[in-house]
């Protein structure tokens, strides 16, 4: 179902070329522009608000520690010796926050970022949508073993016919969808054209998120190997809206964002019809992301004391399953995470730690380790969408912090 974007903060995209300094749908993802554009999405694309509700803001207490000097493990002997601070300086960081048991241990802002600045989350958005799905599954509104077409009959003529909700939660459908960000003909880029987030490249295609999803076809059986595909989260958002009987922004507010004591509303980019860009269009402040991440290290309970997701959902998410690991290992792409897995819209890159990691291109991350109750958030503006030389040192830096906290317990 498409919804009208009626929020008072809704702003039309800037489409004129301008002088070259003006952000618009053609240039906002240029490497030289992402530092500005990721902090100004509402000036470029239409947006709606995900309300924080009317409850009090949860204060995050400061308990500063000198974490910047911690040494970060090398991946191999050729890696340079780096500290946590050194990793942050080398990885185009816009803001970073490390929180332990609701106390901020380390918080830094760069590149005009402040504690009140909304930053584009890219695919960290997927974990928020997956969390909402978990709430509705807990409530019996969605059955993960049911086929997606039971909730969205419009997908019956697409490649998603026969796919279960479980298949899209874990990105194990058989849909043909390329996530090659540097290929202008990849489906991930065609999706952006369909929703008006990029100018069309001389071709006529579907208009709007839901029309685009209906054009996708299957290349293999559903329930097979893991393959990272943004369209899976967009289908999940459609299932959530249909099952929940309301726009995702209302459901996400009611069931998640209004319960965590957030300081600000979420901002969600939308298509021409007001349908959310579920897979990567959410924007939030650094501290609010830490408040959200806390539920994953605190048994599903927010700092407000409110239960957001059940302990059963967290157990399903965190339990190591050899079949999941096998599906991950069979991915057609090398994810550079041996022994890792993907479950419920969350990455588990290191089997030795079993920490949950929400990831977004250009360097967005929430690192959540229940063993030490560590939540670490990093917002970035990498010039390239994917960069292993920046991603994995960041993960190791947060692992170093978690190890330090474990040594003090």
């Amino acid at each position: 179902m498409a919804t009208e974007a009626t929020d008072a903060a809704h702003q039309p995209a800037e489409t004129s070329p301008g002088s070259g300094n003006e952000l618009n749908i053609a240039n906002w993802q240029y490497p030289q522009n992402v530092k500005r554009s990721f902090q100004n999405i509402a000036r470029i694309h239409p947006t709606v608000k995900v309300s924080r509700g009317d409850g009090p803001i949860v204060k995050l207490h400061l308990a500063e520690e000198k974490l910047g000097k911690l040494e970060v493990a090398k991946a191999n002997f050729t890696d340079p010796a780096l500290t946590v601070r050194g990793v942050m300086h080398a990885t185009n960081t816009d803001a970073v926050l490390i929180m332990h048991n609701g106390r901020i241990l380390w918080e830094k802002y760069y590149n005009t970022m402040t504690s009140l600045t909304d930053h584009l989350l890219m695919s960290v958005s997927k974990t928020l949508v997956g969390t909402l799905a978990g709430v509705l599954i807990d409530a019996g509104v969605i059955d993960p073993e049911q086929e997606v077409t039971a909730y969205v009959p419009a997908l019956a003529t697409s490649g998603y016919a026969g796919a279960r909700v479980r298949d899209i939660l874990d990105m194990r459908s058989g849909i043909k969808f390329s996530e090659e960000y540097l290929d202008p003909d990849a489906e991930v880029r065609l999706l952006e054209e369909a929703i008006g987030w990029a100018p069309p490249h001389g071709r006529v295609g579907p208009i709007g998120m839901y029309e685009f999803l209906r054009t996708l076809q299957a290349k293999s059986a559903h329930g097979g190997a893991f393959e990272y595909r943004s369209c899976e989260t967009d289908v999940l958002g459609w299932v959530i809206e249909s099952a929940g009987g309301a726009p995702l922004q209302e459901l996400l507010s009611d069931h998640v964002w209004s319960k965590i004591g957030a300081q600000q509303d979420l901002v969600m980019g939308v298509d021409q019809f007001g349908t959310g860009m579920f897979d990567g269009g959410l924007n939030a402040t650094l501290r609010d992301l830490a408040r959200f991440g806390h539920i994953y290290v605190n048994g599903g309970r927010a700092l407000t004391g409110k239960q957001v997701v059940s302990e059963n959902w967290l157990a399903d998410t965190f339990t190591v399953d050899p079949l999941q690991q096998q599906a991950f290992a069979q991915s057609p792409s090398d994810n550079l995470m041996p022994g890792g897995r993907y479950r419920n819209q969350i990455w588990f890159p290191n089997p030795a730690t079993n920490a949950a990691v929400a990831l977004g291109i250009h360097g967005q991350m929430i690192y959540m380790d229940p063993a030490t109750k560590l939540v670490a958030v990093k917002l970035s503006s990498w010039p390239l969408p994917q960069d292993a030389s920046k991603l994995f040192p960041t993960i190791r830096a947060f692992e170093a912090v978690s190890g330090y906290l474990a040594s003090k317990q």
Side-chain angles (χ1 to χ4, degrees):
M1 60 187 241
T3 58
E4 292 298 323
T6 56
D7 193 281
H10 174 96
Q11 300 181 39
E14 299 176 2
T15 56
S16 59
S19 63
N21 292 323
E22 182 181 5
L23 297 171
N24 56 66
I25 65 168
N27 68 19
W28 72 281
Q29 294 188 78
Y30 289 177
Q32 67 270 27
N33 287 341
V34 293
K35 280 185 181 180
R36 287 191 301 138
S37 63
F38 285 12
Q39 298 178 42
N40 292 282
I41 287 300
R43 292 178 51 207
I44 307 163
H45 302 301
T47 60
V48 295
K49 294 292 182 68
V50 178
S51 173
R52 64 165 301 278
D54 56 8
I57 298 171
V58 167
K59 184 176 180 180
L60 300 180
H61 298 283
L62 297 174
E64 232 177 284
E65 296 209 21
K66 296 180 179 179
L67 301 177
K69 295 182 179 181
L70 288 177
E71 293 185 1
V72 177
K74 297 182 180 184
N76 54 62
F77 71 92
T78 63
D79 277 358
L82 287 173
T83 61
V84 170
R85 180 181 291 107
V87 169
M88 299 306 141
H89 286 171
T91 55
N92 304 89
T93 304
D94 292 331
V96 59
L97 184 152
I98 295 173
M99 186 173 80
H100 178 237
N101 268 334
R103 298 175 304 131
I104 296 176
L105 303 184
W106 204 57
E107 183 178 18
K108 303 292 180 183
Y109 294 91
Y110 312 91
N111 300 334
T112 74
M113 277 285 292
T114 74
S115 63
L116 300 179
T117 306
D118 290 314
H119 193 288
L120 182 63
L121 307 187
M122 287 296 188
S123 290
V124 168
S125 305
K126 293 178 170 68
T127 300
L128 276 84
V129 174
T131 302
L132 176 57
V135 173
L136 298 182
I137 288 170
D138 284 340
V141 176
I142 295 175
D143 178 357
E145 301 306 317
Q146 184 64 263
E147 293 185 2
V148 297
T149 52
Y151 301 102
V152 186
L155 288 172
T157 58
S158 77
Y160 277 103
R164 302 170 303 155
V165 174
R166 169 52 57 203
D167 297 328
I168 61 173
L169 276 165
D170 297 343
M171 296 205 182
R172 293 178 61 188
S173 81
I175 289 294
K176 178 183 180 296
F177 187 95
S178 170
E179 199 83 10
E180 292 295 331
Y181 301 103
L182 300 182
D183 178 1
D185 295 319
E187 282 83 0
V188 70
R189 294 309 188 192
L190 298 181
L191 185 156
E192 291 182 344
E193 292 183 26
I195 66 172
W197 278 43
H201 288 81
R203 51 196 165 208
V204 178
I207 303 298
M209 174 65 76
Y210 289 162
E211 278 301 309
F212 175 82
L213 295 176
R214 291 174 66 182
T215 69
L216 297 177
Q217 296 300 311
K219 65 177 181 179
S220 59
H222 300 302
F226 164 78
E227 185 174 355
Y228 188 77
R229 288 165 289 222
S230 288
C231 58
E232 308 278 69
T233 311
D234 296 318
V235 169
L236 182 62
W238 198 351
V239 168
I240 286 170
E241 290 197 332
S242 296
L248 186 134
Q249 59 264 31
E250 293 181 15
L251 297 167
L252 187 57
S253 171
D254 291 345
H255 296 293
V256 179
W257 206 247
S258 67
K259 293 186 174 183
I260 66 170
Q263 67 183 27
Q264 292 181 194
D265 298 334
L266 271 173
V267 175
M268 182 171 70
V270 297
D271 73 1
Q272 306 90 330
F273 306 104
T275 301
M277 208 291 191
F278 306 133
D279 72 75
L282 291 172
N283 301 257
T285 66
L286 184 73
R287 290 182 178 180
D288 280 346
L289 292 174
R291 292 178 174 97
F292 166 77
H294 183 76
I295 68 177
Y296 278 91
V297 304
N298 193 44
R301 190 178 297 275
L303 287 163
T304 58
K306 295 180 179 179
Q307 194 76 27
V308 180
V309 291
S310 70
E311 292 187 6
N312 286 340
W313 177 255
L314 290 188
D316 178 79
T317 303
F318 278 90
T319 297
V320 179
D321 183 342
L323 293 179
Q324 293 172 24
Q325 291 177 308
Q326 181 181 10
F328 192 87
Q330 292 172 340
S331 175
S333 301
D334 185 357
N335 298 299
L336 302 177
M337 300 174 182
R341 66 187 195 284
Y342 189 91
R343 183 71 165 177
N344 293 333
Q345 304 283 297
I346 301 177
W347 296 85
F348 291 85
N350 187 349
T353 65
N354 202 35
V357 185
L359 291 177
I361 58 172
H362 294 279
Q364 322 319 319
M365 183 185 299
I366 309 176
Y367 182 95
M368 300 163 284
D369 189 350
T372 56
K373 293 209 167 184
L374 167 69
V375 177
V377 184
K378 184 179 189 294
L379 299 170
S380 316
S381 49
W382 299 350
L384 293 175
Q386 295 175 307
D387 192 333
S389 70
K390 299 180 188 299
L391 170 62
F392 292 103
T394 300
I395 291 175
R396 293 198 301 274
F398 293 149
E399 288 174 346
V401 174
S402 191
Y404 166 76
L405 293 174
S407 71
K408 296 182 65 177
Q409 290 180 350

